[in-house]
């Protein structure tokens, strides 16, 4: 019986964590809706424009570098006030490609900086470039982005308040329609860039620089201690250090910054691992100072939820595995039926989380009927795939919380929407299939079996949950296997 009580305890604690997370998401949704009603008009450009440095960190990006440099060269800003730093850590032909491409734009102030050692990875490159930056403001774009020509004219005016240290813009997606995988990623990212970022910013809670498509006041970066490379998410780390020192961040959803979504599962996993592990590392680094600092209560609550949001994957993994024992105990009559009825309260959390994603999905859509049909299948599939990534991401979170270090692994870029490049020819694809992928296949079989047992026993309370787990692990396993096979 002790083991049964242990399983029930794990299941309940995991569900409580998910429920807390959903309540915070619901509160963000409320503030997002308020923020939309209070949407302010764009600020006019007044007075003398300041000097700006654009930093473009690059590492082995043969397929997207030309696109990035072309877009940066077309930025609409006085040439004498603009410096574009190409921070190149490449070890392949990308070096030659960059140097040849910038020759196309002799009128643009390109500064090429190449490092041999990659010390500090992206954070190290940004820090080294900052030493030579002439701009009062520092805009940053990753290699898979295509900056809006008017990006600086739209963002710089928001720095009229001298307390503003960062202006972050909203990511949009160049290849949203490329595949099911890119559609589901867009589904998830839209919720972050609309509901979460706007919801936090509206109530002056901490938000984060998203690593790209944002512009910093140089003084803010230096005052906060410059870039650190002790976490995999240097952007989140600097964001918290700056806001803890009192700098104000501004989020502008109407300023769009198009970017490429990873089109294969191995690339998605690489990105997810870095984001989730880095988030956990930042949680360990900042949570004590935030909770003990002189900040409003709601700021502390949202900071806790923000820093530990990747821990949701550990909760999902534990709940899913313990649900097998809980289901069996229920069938055997070892758990009172009233407890299952009380568990229905957790459905509130599901409704809140679903609401966050549905509201962001419908944002800006013109045809409600067409959007409704899209939401009807994308929401359950997104939730299923998110559950299917629980094992992979839980490993990343655990490593982050326990202090295990790992190198910064870049997400391969593809530029497939151009139609000029074949996916199979990408030289940056991984070759080795990780052990976790095989476990995802095993979990697929286990939860497929649980679906059959639910039906056989005539118990349907956990059937939707186990069905989504079976579908999620199945999709993740199959698409991972296909993606790693491309690299052979």
């Amino acid at each position: 019986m002790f083991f049964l009580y242990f399983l029930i305890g794990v299941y309940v604690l995991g569900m409580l964590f998910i429920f807390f997370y959903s309540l915070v998401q619901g509160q963000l949704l409320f503030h997002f809706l308020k923020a939309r009603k209070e949407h302010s008009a764009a600020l006019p450009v007044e007075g003398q424009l300041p000097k700006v440095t654009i930093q473009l960190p690059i590492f082995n990006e043969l397929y997207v570098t030309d696109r990035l440099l072309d877009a940066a060269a077309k930025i609409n800003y006085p040439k004498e006030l603009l410096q574009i730093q190409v921070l190149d850590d490449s070890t392949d032909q990308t070096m030659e490609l960059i140097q040849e491409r910038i020759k196309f734009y002799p009128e643009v102030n390109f500064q090429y900086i190449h490092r041999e050692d990659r010390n500090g990875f992206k954070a190290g490159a940004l820090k080294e470039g900052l030493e030579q930056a002439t701009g009062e403001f520092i805009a940053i774009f990753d290699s898979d982005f295509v900056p809006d020509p008017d990006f600086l004219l739209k963002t710089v005016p928001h720095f009229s308040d001298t307390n503003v240290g960062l202006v972050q813009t909203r990511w949009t997606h160049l290849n949203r329609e490329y595949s099911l995988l890119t559609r589901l990623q867009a589904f998830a990212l839209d919720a972050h860039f609309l509901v979460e970022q706007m919801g936090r910013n509206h109530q002056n809670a901490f938000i984060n620089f998203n690593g790209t498509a944002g512009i910093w006041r140089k003084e803010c970066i230096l005052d906060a201690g410059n870039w650190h490379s002790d976490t995999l998410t240097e952007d989140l780390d600097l964001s918290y250090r700056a806001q803890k020192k009192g700098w104000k961040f501004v989020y502008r959803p109407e300023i769009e910054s198009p970017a490429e979504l990873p089109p294969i599962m191995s690339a998605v996993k690489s990105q997810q691992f870095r984001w989730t592990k880095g988030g956990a590392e930042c949680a360990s680094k900042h949570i004590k100072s935030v909770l003990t600092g002189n900040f409003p209560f709601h700021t502390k609550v949202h900071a806790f939820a923000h820093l530990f949001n990747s821990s949701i994957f550990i909760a999902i993994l534990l709940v899913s595995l313990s649900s097998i024992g809980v289901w069996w105990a229920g069938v055997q009559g070892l758990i009172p039926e009233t407890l299952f009825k009380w568990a229905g309260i957790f459905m509130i959390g599901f409704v809140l989380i679903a609401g966050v994603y549905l509201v962001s999905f419908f944002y800006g859509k013109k045809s409600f009927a067409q959007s409704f049909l899209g939401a009807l299948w994308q929401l359950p599939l997104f939730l299923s795939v998110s559950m299917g990534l629980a094992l992979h991401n839980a490993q990343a979170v655990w490593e982050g919380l326990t202090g295990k270090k790992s190198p910064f692994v870049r997400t391969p870029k593809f530029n497939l929407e151009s139609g000029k490049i074949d996916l199979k020819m990408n030289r940056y694809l991984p070759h080795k299939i990780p052990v976790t992928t095989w476990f995802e296949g095993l979990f697929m079989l286990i939860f497929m079996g649980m679906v059959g047992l639910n039906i056989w026993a005539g118990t349907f309370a956990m059937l939707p949950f186990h069905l989504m787990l079976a579908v999620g692990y199945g999709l993740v396993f199959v698409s991972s296997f296909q993606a790693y096979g491309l690299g052979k």
Side-chain angles (χ1 to χ4, degrees):
M1 289 299 289
F2 172 78
F3 184 64
L4 174 60
Y5 292 144
F6 174 76
L7 282 180
I8 294 173
V10 169
Y11 183 83
V12 171
L13 287 175
M15 291 297 288
L16 285 173
F17 183 86
I18 295 171
F19 187 62
F20 165 76
Y21 172 81
S22 67
L23 292 178
V24 174
Q25 292 294 98
Q27 202 263 358
L28 290 177
L29 178 59
F30 172 75
H31 277 275
F32 162 75
L33 296 173
K34 287 185 66 177
R36 284 193 64 191
K37 293 179 180 179
E38 301 168 11
H39 179 72
S40 58
L43 297 173
V45 178
E46 296 181 352
Q48 177 64 37
L49 290 171
K51 289 185 177 181
V52 175
T53 296
I54 297 177
Q55 293 186 321
L56 308 176
I58 295 174
F59 173 65
N60 292 354
E61 301 290 3
L62 283 174
Y63 309 109
V64 294
T65 295
D66 279 357
R67 183 181 66 185
L68 173 67
L69 296 176
D70 291 345
K74 295 172 184 175
I75 292 288
N76 183 17
Y77 206 74
K79 302 301 182 186
E80 68 277 9
L81 300 176
L82 181 62
Q83 174 194 41
I84 303 178
Q85 290 184 333
V86 184
L87 308 176
D88 181 29
D89 286 359
S90 297
T91 57
D92 64 4
Q93 297 97 313
T94 305
M95 293 183 289
E96 291 79 18
L97 188 154
I98 292 172
Q99 294 176 76
E100 286 300 314
R101 198 66 182 181
I102 60 180
K103 290 178 183 178
F104 284 41
Y105 304 100
E107 75 283 3
V108 178
N109 180 20
F110 274 111
Q111 180 186 22
Y112 179 72
I113 301 175
H114 183 262
R115 302 192 309 161
E116 298 288 345
D117 57 8
R118 289 199 76 204
N119 182 42
F121 303 103
K122 180 181 175 181
L126 294 172
K127 186 175 182 179
E128 185 168 320
L130 197 65
E131 296 174 0
Q132 303 178 49
T134 59
E136 179 184 350
F137 299 98
I138 311 294
I140 300 171
F141 287 99
D142 282 347
S143 57
D144 50 338
F145 276 71
V146 182
D148 178 353
D150 291 330
F151 176 86
L152 295 180
L153 296 179
K154 292 176 180 178
T155 55
V156 167
H158 292 283
F159 288 100
S160 57
D161 180 349
T162 56
N163 292 319
V164 172
L166 168 79
V167 177
Q168 174 66 51
T169 66
R170 178 166 64 97
W171 295 7
T172 54
H173 318 293
L174 293 168
N175 59 337
R176 175 192 290 268
E177 308 298 328
Y178 179 78
S179 67
L180 172 63
L181 190 58
T182 57
R183 284 173 179 264
L184 295 181
Q185 289 176 82
F187 194 86
L189 286 171
D190 286 347
H192 169 69
F193 280 98
L194 288 168
V195 176
E196 293 183 349
Q197 288 286 60
M198 288 179 68
R200 292 191 187 107
N201 203 215
H202 179 259
Q203 55 188 311
N204 297 317
F206 289 175
I207 67 169
N208 62 294
F209 169 53
N210 293 107
T212 176
I215 177 169
W216 288 85
R217 190 186 297 271
K218 183 179 179 180
E219 179 189 353
C220 173
I221 298 177
L222 298 175
D223 181 58
N226 215 320
W227 296 101
H228 292 180
S229 58
D230 56 345
T231 74
L232 292 180
T233 46
E234 72 293 321
D235 45 9
L236 179 61
D237 172 43
L238 180 59
S239 298
Y240 267 74
R241 285 188 281 117
Q243 288 170 107
K244 284 191 296 184
K245 294 205 72 172
W247 288 96
K248 180 181 177 182
F249 283 12
V250 172
Y251 180 70
R252 301 312 310 170
E254 77 281 1
I255 306 175
E256 299 180 357
S257 295
E260 173 187 296
L261 294 163
I264 60 173
M265 184 56 77
S266 59
V268 173
K269 283 185 168 181
S270 172
Q271 188 179 70
Q272 287 277 311
F273 192 91
R274 188 174 71 251
W275 286 354
T276 50
K277 181 173 181 176
E281 289 174 329
C282 285
S284 298
K285 182 175 181 178
H286 293 289
I287 192 60
K288 182 179 179 180
S289 59
V290 170
L291 295 181
T292 59
N294 186 25
F295 305 110
F297 178 73
H298 77 275
T299 299
K300 294 181 180 183
V301 170
H302 281 289
F304 180 89
H306 188 192
L307 289 170
F308 284 99
N309 64 359
S310 58
S311 299
I312 193 87
F313 291 105
I314 292 181
I316 292 171
L317 181 63
L318 293 176
V319 166
S320 61
L321 293 177
S322 61
S323 72
I324 298 172
V326 172
W327 172 85
W328 176 84
V331 171
Q332 299 298 315
L334 300 176
I335 299 177
E337 193 173 328
T338 53
L339 289 181
F340 281 100
K341 293 180 180 178
W342 276 103
I345 194 173
F346 292 123
M347 284 300 296
I348 298 173
F350 173 79
V351 171
L352 288 173
I353 291 176
V356 167
Y357 287 101
L358 289 175
V359 167
S360 63
F361 181 78
F362 283 108
Y363 182 86
K365 297 287 196 304
K366 295 180 180 179
S367 171
F368 177 82
Q370 185 176 359
S371 300
F372 177 77
L373 292 175
L376 208 58
W377 65 267
Q378 287 189 48
L379 176 63
L381 262 186
F382 161 72
L383 293 174
S384 297
V385 171
S386 296
M387 293 177 185
L389 284 168
L391 175 63
H392 175 270
N393 287 349
Q395 178 190 354
V397 175
W398 183 253
E399 288 186 10
L401 293 176
T402 55
K404 181 180 179 180
K405 295 298 180 182
S406 57
F408 185 103
V409 179
R410 59 179 284 279
T411 304
K413 314 300 189 304
F414 298 86
N415 196 11
L416 296 178
E417 67 278 3
S418 68
K420 301 177 182 178
I421 301 168
D422 186 351
L423 176 61
K424 295 181 180 179
M425 299 301 292
N426 191 300
R427 65 176 64 189
Y428 303 127
L429 292 172
H431 300 273
K432 187 177 180 181
I433 300 177
V435 175
T436 51
T437 297
W438 297 109
F439 273 98
E440 287 160 354
L442 176 62
F443 284 4
M444 172 191 68
L445 296 176
I446 289 173
F447 288 108
M448 285 175 64
M450 288 306 301
V451 169
L453 287 173
N454 274 272
I455 297 173
W456 171 77
T459 55
F460 302 104
M462 287 191 177
L463 179 60
F465 182 48
H466 288 155
L467 179 60
M468 292 175 74
L469 285 165
V471 171
Y473 278 114
L475 287 173
V476 170
F477 170 70
V478 171
S479 55
S480 296
F481 200 81
Q482 291 174 337
Y484 289 112
L486 288 170
K488 294 182 179 180

